[in-house]
Amino acid sequence: MMKTKGIKEIAIIAGVSIGTVDRVIHRRGKVSAEAKKRVEAAIKETEYRPNLLARSLVNKTKVKIALIIPDSGSDEYWQQSKAGAEEAKKNWDSFGVQLHTFHFHLNTIKSFETATRKALLLSPSAVIFVPIFFKQGIDFVTECDKQKIPVVIFNTHLPGSNPLSFIGTDSVQSGILAGELMHLITSPTGELLVLHFDEDARNSPHMIEKEKGFREFFKRQQPGQARRITTLTLKNKRYKEQLKSLFKSNNFEGVFISTSKAYEVGEFLRNEKNPNVKIIGFDLISKNIELLQKGIIQFLIHQNPRKQTELSISSLCNYLLFNKPILRSNLFPLDIITRSNLSSFVSDEGK
Amino acid sequence: MMKTKGIKEIAIIAGVSIGTVDRVIHRRGKVSAEAKKRVEAAIKETEYRPNLLARSLVNKTKVKIALIIPDSGSDEYWQQSKAGAEEAKKNWDSFGVQLHTFHFHLNTIKSFETATRKALLLSPSAVIFVPIFFKQGIDFVTECDKQKIPVVIFNTHLPGSNPLSFIGTDSVQSGILAGELMHLITSPTGELLVLHFDEDARNSPHMIEKEKGFREFFKRQQPGQARRITTLTLKNKRYKEQLKSLFKSNNFEGVFISTSKAYEVGEFLRNEKNPNVKIIGFDLISKNIELLQKGIIQFLIHQNPRKQTELSISSLCNYLLFNKPILRSNLFPLDIITRSNLSSFVSDEGK
DNA sequence: ATGAAAGCGCTAACAC
DNA sequence: GTGTTAGCGCTTTCAT
């Protein structure tokens, strides 16, 4: 009884042809209400689940994805992202997925616009991008909407857009986390410093949110008396001099750096033989890692650009190929890294 | 020119039929030396790579995996593992993978033996299991080796075995991590307590390794004078009384709990109005989570049983179906959880 | 020793 | 609207 499997079986049950079954499954072509109902009933009854192998065997290479990310030149963060993209590409090309990557310069709006233009020339099935530039990001999303191309945004939130999916971390929350960690490792009244490195304005939304979260933590913690928390934004490249005068006239117990430049502070303090200042920063880049291992930086918060990129791609592929539901907003775990759990994160190449 | 793809193309080039090509690829049947040579040349020339989708479409449901894990009854840790298994099962059954789960009781060796026996009756393509019981684990691996069934071990290391892959965390390292965290949040000379809950002997290797790591950290930190670190193993269920007398006669600044029972200590200290003792423990189970949120537990180290299980299954499937390389040893990241990054870990259901 | 042919479950083009 | 059919690249009979 009922030996055949899959679409054929449900065609028999519903008393229609497999063509019709295909039509209702994919909502394409015309199907009479009657037939549709019967097919859907049969699908439920048999708990039919499509054979993904057969499907992608037939649909080879129909999925083209354009990935638009910052140039990874000397930027380790984006190098890690790129590595994730390559990993994902390897994983999905057996399913006929074509991943085309377009790079742009972090400081050049034009290069971003060029990248998006080139990406659209592919007429991709979907687009993944990092909206470093607000206005141009919105423009791009609008254009994609017009062309009915699904958009996935990652790493940076783009307020006012409504992408298929957003994947990234919660900057405010990461600031709160940094606040808590700082609280745990400093004395209750120790003075704190929040340091921004503002060579590239592109980071400013992140930076502001992180500081907001950081201060928020202490506000909640001690609603009455606030700790003394100083903020400073280092704008030009002469960090050392600025840091020197800063630490001469203050007695900070801890420094929170809102970008990946924690190592600048770490190196400075190491040279000054000032080992008692606690440092918390972001990102597993090599200079930070070195100072973490030496115990000069206490905590790094890891945003995992590699996995963010990988996941952006694979959740999109799963959605496109296999109809798997995709999360509208996928906030990434905030990994806390110390010298003791570092190794399990950096050797984490094999997924 | 040369439009056909795959096996057919190389058949044409070599001037034989696809049947012959198949024979040389799989070294089955009889092939003349002459034909073999020509086919192999063609394979090299075209850089032929088999289409894995087509292959497993034909060989449907030839992959049967037996998963042998502890009963998840009231144990949240193993419930999470089970959830991971179900997720993975859903993901892979479209590829014709059959995942059969066998449960055993954590305290009953017999039930483990029964489970392994049942598992082998399936004649599975591969086996994944948790070696809670040392001797029986070795026996099982030996038997699988004899039957040429690949074995993946997870969660618990099985010394003396040589599985296809091991997936789990490094217990010693997690102890070191706990040591570092404790060091960061207590004063340099504060007295510390290491607490084992030994209701089930099954945990003892883990417990011992964790304590070893914990002490190791302080040894490295202060080679000269060691901190005062007390160890206690709570054996019967009357935890409160034991804890009461313990804390009456000592002045601990921090407690490290080697199992998931940190909440026992947390609840005790909360009732005693003793809020200044720092607590570090393991596992995101609900009672621990509650106390973490309240600030009574400072850190939980998360071993991510859900992802461990998921990854065990999917890396095995990728190996079996798609010939992807599998890591001999895949040490999981040790996630540090505080109240501030907790949410991104517990809501992490969608991969 | 080798070739031809029938599918695996699904999609898409084409007929009616 | 609906059914039929030719493959996707591979494995596996079954002849020869």
Side-chain angles (χ1 to χ4, degrees), chain A residues 292-293 298-299 337-344, chain B residues 169-186 192 194 206-221 227 229 256-258 280-282 299 301 303 331 334-336:
Chain A
L292 186 73
Q293 282 168 328
Q298 275 64 45
F299 290 112
I337 314 293
T338 76
R339 66 211 291 198
S340 303
N341 71 341
L342 171 68
S343 64
S344 61
Chain B
T169 54
D170 181 333
S171 295
V172 175
Q173 195 62 38
S174 72
I176 293 177
L177 174 59
E180 185 191 5
L181 293 172
M182 193 62 92
H183 174 69
L184 285 167
I185 63 176
T186 52
L192 302 178
V194 177
H206 282 321
M207 283 162 31
I208 290 166
E209 288 178 355
K210 285 169 181 171
E211 176 175 357
K212 188 178 153 209
F214 190 76
R215 290 182 177 274
E216 175 72 19
F217 172 82
F218 291 102
K219 225 174 283 167
R220 285 189 207 159
Q221 191 66 18
R227 274 210 205 210
I229 304 176
F256 170 49
I257 296 97
S258 66
I280 297 178
F282 283 90
F299 290 111
I301 296 173
Q303 304 176 292
L331 289 190
L334 295 166
D335 291 322
I336 303 170

Side-chain angles (χ1 to χ4, degrees), chain A residues 16-17 19-20 23 30-32 58 60:
Chain A
V16 296
S17 75
T20 303
R23 280 170 202 115
K30 304 278 177 188
V31 185
S32 69
V58 116
K60 16 182 350 75

